[in-house]
Each structure stands twice: as C-alpha cells, then as structure tokens.
C-alpha cells in the first residue's frame, strides 16, 4: 500500500521496483494529484496495480490517504511504503513476519548498520491486516508530518500485542 500527492515521478521509480516483489496486489492512493497517477503509470500493465483516486483534496494528509489504501487492501499481510521507497526484489522474503509481529523501518538502525542511504525507511512497515484494522489503522487526528509512524508502531505493540522487528538493512 502506498499513496501519493504530486510526487508522481518518485512514485513511478518506486513502483518499478515493487513490481518485482512477490506481492498479490499493489494499492496506490492518488490523493488528488494535479496529474493523475493513472496517467503517470499508464505504461505499466500489471493487474496487481490498483489505483484509487481521491478527488478534491487540496492538502496532503498522510494518515487519511494511507487509511484509504489500508482499508481497500484485500490480503492478510500488508507492506506499506512511502511513494519514494525503492526495494530489492527479495524485500518480502528477507522481511517476513508472523501473526504476532510487525516489521518496521528504523532510520537509526539502518545508519548504525552502515546503510546511510536507508535513513528514510522509518515510515515503511509490514503488519497483519487484521491487527491494523483492530487498532483503527492510522490516527487521522494526526494531520501533519511526524508522529504518525511512532503512533501506529506504539499502537501495534500496545493495543495490537505485536512484537516489533526492524527492516533488515
């Protein structure tokens, strides 16, 4: 699941890497981009890619945009990426999780492990869909940058009862 508002070029580069994943669907929420994401991705012909266009939004609200995508996701395991996160084809295989876990990005862990270029992975995560649903997905009262990731991670642990592990750098 990802979402985008006017970061179409970054999204396209990222999507080209997501297509190599062993994923059943790729949901992209287009949060009222000036140029529709469907136009930017028109040359990608892959039935797994589902674009959900939200019209009439003049302000980027990450929590609301991602919640649209998370609610539409049909499968039991969800991987969430920002629109500029590129991954290697084996990302899912090296970052598995069980029903009692979630996997999350951690910029400090990545930097400490010599992966300076991965310092922006903090918002990437993977978790069971049922737990995300049970905790109410993202907190939509958070409408600015920051704290959205910390909040959802805290709720996945405290309310959802999941153990966190970091994305393998």
């Amino acid at each position: 699941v990802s979402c985008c508002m006017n970061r179409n070029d970054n999204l396209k580069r990222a999507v080209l890497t997501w297509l190599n994943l062993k994923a059943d669907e790729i949901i992209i929420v287009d949060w009222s981009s000036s140029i529709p994401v469907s136009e930017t991705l028109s040359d990608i012909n892959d039935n797994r890619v589902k674009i959900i266009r939200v019209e009439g939004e003049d302000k980027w609200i990450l929590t609301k945009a991602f919640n649209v995508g998370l609610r539409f996701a049909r499968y039991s395991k969800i991987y969430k990426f920002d629109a500029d996160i590129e991954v290697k084809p084996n990302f899912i295989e090296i970052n598995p999780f069980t029903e009692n876990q979630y996997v999350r990005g951690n910029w400090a862990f990545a930097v400490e492990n010599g992966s300076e270029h991965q310092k922006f992975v903090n918002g990437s995560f993977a978790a069971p869909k049922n737990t995300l649903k049970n905790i109410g997905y993202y907190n939509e009262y958070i409408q600015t940058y920051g704290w959205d990731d910390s909040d959802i991670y805290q709720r996945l642990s405290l309310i959802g009862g999941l153990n966190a592990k970091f994305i393998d750098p």
Side-chain angles (χ1 to χ4, degrees):
V1 174
S2 189
C3 57
C4 175
M5 183 179 197
N6 298 323
R7 298 182 74 199
N8 297 27
D9 292 338
N10 291 338
L11 175 67
K12 185 162 187 178
R13 280 191 300 278
V15 167
L16 292 174
T17 69
W18 303 343
L19 293 172
N20 295 316
L21 296 173
K22 292 181 181 173
D24 295 312
E25 69 182 354
I26 299 169
I27 296 178
I28 301 165
V29 176
D30 179 356
W31 196 252
S32 302
S33 295
S34 301
I35 298 170
V37 166
S38 60
E39 289 180 25
T40 303
L41 303 182
S42 64
D43 60 336
I44 294 176
N45 187 18
D46 190 310
N47 292 335
R48 297 175 300 162
V49 177
K50 314 283 190 250
I51 300 170
I52 301 164
R53 171 94 175 159
V54 177
E55 296 282 355
E57 296 294 335
D58 58 352
K59 181 182 175 192
W60 170 244
I61 303 174
L62 177 146
T63 55
K64 289 185 177 186
F66 269 110
N67 280 351
V68 170
L70 293 170
R71 286 183 176 103
F72 272 92
R74 296 180 301 152
Y75 293 91
S76 62
K77 292 185 175 187
I78 307 293
Y79 285 79
K80 177 262 181 193
F81 300 120
D82 290 339
D84 57 355
I85 297 296
E86 298 177 30
V87 296
K88 293 186 177 181
N90 64 346
F91 181 87
I92 290 174
E93 289 80 16
I94 64 173
N95 290 289
F97 62 97
T98 67
E99 285 296 313
N100 298 317
Q101 296 176 311
Y102 68 101
V103 180
R104 58 163 282 199
N106 181 305
W107 68 270
F109 182 73
V111 171
E112 288 169 8
N113 284 281
S115 299
E116 175 74 20
H117 62 285
Q118 292 186 22
K119 64 185 174 188
F120 300 107
V121 300
N122 206 60
S124 300
F125 73 82
K129 163 104 183 194
N130 64 344
T131 305
L132 286 164
K133 184 177 179 182
N134 290 342
I135 67 165
Y137 304 106
Y138 275 97
N139 179 349
E140 293 185 8
Y141 288 112
I142 300 172
Q143 297 193 4
T144 58
Y145 283 104
W147 302 114
D148 49 283
D149 301 323
S150 298
D151 176 76
I152 201 166
Y153 299 153
Q154 184 177 37
R155 290 184 299 112
L156 283 168
S157 294
L158 297 178
I159 299 169
L162 301 182
N163 296 311
K165 69 181 203 175
F166 296 138
I167 288 174
D168 186 334

